[in-house]
Amino acid sequence: IILPEAMEAIKTAGLIDKTIYGSDGPQRPGFAKNYAERTLIAMEKAGYSFEEAQAVMAENAENLFPLGTNP
């Protein structure tokens, strides 16, 4: 599945609040930055709002793994 199609499928299925961005995979210099940019472009093409993209890129992970907070 191509990245824009994956982002559209996530949005259509109502899974944005359960999706966490990750860039694991074959690495090369500049891969992580390039992949993040391609992910944001794919989200834009799929009609994600700023808030939805922010949730996938950071907030969902922060909510699941609240680093730096006391229990």
Side-chain angles (χ1 to χ4, degrees), residues 29-50:
F31 175 83
K33 180 181 180 204
N34 179 275
Y35 188 71
E37 289 170 356
R38 290 185 335 191
T39 300
L40 290 169
I41 290 167
M43 288 180 190
E44 183 177 11
K45 287 181 181 179
Y48 281 53
S49 67
F50 174 83

Side-chain angles (χ1 to χ4, degrees), residues 40-64:
L40 290 169
I41 290 167
M43 288 180 190
E44 183 177 11
K45 287 181 181 179
Y48 281 53
S49 67
F50 174 83
E51 291 78 16
E52 289 170 329
Q54 187 173 14
V56 171
M57 296 300 287
E59 290 175 357
N60 293 343
E62 291 170 358
N63 291 335
L64 185 60

Side-chain angles (χ1 to χ4, degrees), residues 1-13 16 19 21 35 38-48 56-57:
I1 192 164
I2 298 172
L3 194 54
E5 293 169 346
M7 292 298 121
E8 186 173 344
I10 289 167
K11 185 171 177 68
T12 300
I16 290 173
T19 303
Y21 169 78
Y35 188 71
R38 290 185 335 191
T39 300
L40 290 169
I41 290 167
M43 288 180 190
E44 183 177 11
K45 287 181 181 179
Y48 281 53
V56 171
M57 296 300 287

